Amino acid sequence: MSSTTRAIRGAIQVSANTHEDIAQATVTLVDAVMGKNGLESTDVEALFFTMTSDLTANIPPLAIVERGSVDAPCLCSAEPRWDGEMPRVIRLMALVHKGRDEALEHVYLNGTAPTRP
């Protein structure tokens, strides 16, 4: 079966704005996306993160580098503030190699949910 680059979304709410909590939440989110979708580290093309503006103690790409288990380009940006935003949230869009007809499982942890249908 041929594979193509596909996007998997996910999000997690972080317990507190600390270096350790942001790192742990990042690792938990990436592990969950990979585990639920049967991915190996070599399947990951790139990881794009966003964070709510109340998270300032760490950034997800640094947590991924410190962990060393996913060797893919990472990028992080701040989310714009918006009415009704959930506090302390990291969102992920993982670009991965996956078969065109294979199901994708998006992952929302710790009370997060998709922000669009």
Side-chain angles (χ1 to χ4, degrees), residues 14-108:
V14 181
S15 301
N17 182 33
T18 68
H19 183 92
E20 295 78 19
D21 285 345
I22 293 169
Q24 183 58 50
T26 300
V27 168
T28 298
L29 178 58
V30 170
D31 283 352
V33 165
M34 292 184 67
K36 288 182 183 251
N37 288 282
L39 300 169
E40 300 293 329
S41 63
T42 56
D43 296 324
V44 179
E45 221 19 72
L47 301 173
F48 295 96
F49 296 95
T50 63
M51 297 171 52
T52 52
S53 61
D54 52 1
L55 293 175
T56 59
N58 196 355
I59 58 171
L62 182 58
I64 295 301
V65 168
E66 289 173 348
R67 179 179 172 202
S69 64
V70 176
D71 184 26
C74 296
L75 180 68
C76 184
S77 68
E79 286 189 8
R81 294 195 60 98
W82 54 282
D83 294 340
E85 74 179 345
M86 179 181 241
R88 300 179 322 279
V89 174
I90 297 170
R91 288 188 175 79
L92 169 66
M93 183 171 63
L95 298 181
V96 303
H97 293 289
K98 191 92 167 145
R100 187 175 303 278
D101 296 329
E102 291 182 77
L104 299 178
E105 188 166 344
H106 305 291
V107 176
Y108 297 95

